Amino acid sequence: MPIIVDIHVMLAKRKMPVGVLAEKVGITPANLAVLKNGRAKAVRFTTLEALCEVLECQPGDLLRWETEDRLDSADPSADEPRPAVPSSTPTPQES
């Protein structure tokens, strides 16, 4: 996923433990861990707002976008072959 969650950066800057942040935001430490580790599929604006309020930051301090190419170059598993993705554009043989 090209959206990177940088909550760990703000936690380090604020010298705040994850458990304290979870309590102040009003979410479980497990749900915060899912978000922090980049495994979340979505985040509610109310949660993002609470994170920004507690950490005294902007949404852009917590979330950033990276291109797939940049992620792949930093990922050691990028050398592994990826499954082919079907294309909606016809190949010369299909025309």
Side-chain angles (χ1 to χ4, degrees):
M1 178 189 302
I3 300 295
I4 309 300
V5 181
D6 286 330
I7 291 175
H8 64 285
V9 174
M10 292 308 297
L11 281 169
K13 286 182 179 180
R14 303 294 186 250
K15 297 181 177 151
M16 183 182 297
V18 175
V20 171
L21 178 61
E23 184 178 322
K24 288 184 175 188
V25 170
I27 62 175
T28 66
N31 283 340
L32 183 57
V34 167
L35 183 59
K36 182 176 149 287
N37 295 324
R39 295 189 315 264
K41 299 292 181 191
V43 61
R44 291 183 176 160
F45 280 166
T46 53
T47 302
L48 184 58
E49 179 183 6
L51 287 165
C52 290
E53 184 176 339
V54 171
L55 292 170
E56 298 177 351
C57 66
Q58 294 295 313
D61 296 326
L62 302 176
L63 304 172
R64 63 188 161 90
W65 177 79
E66 292 283 341
T67 63
E68 290 288 337
D69 293 341
R70 184 163 178 176
L71 291 175
D72 289 344
S73 66
D75 183 4
S77 66
D79 296 333
E80 298 174 11
R82 292 179 176 233
V85 177
S87 173
S88 60
T89 308
T91 62
Q93 298 162 343
E94 294 173 341
S95 304

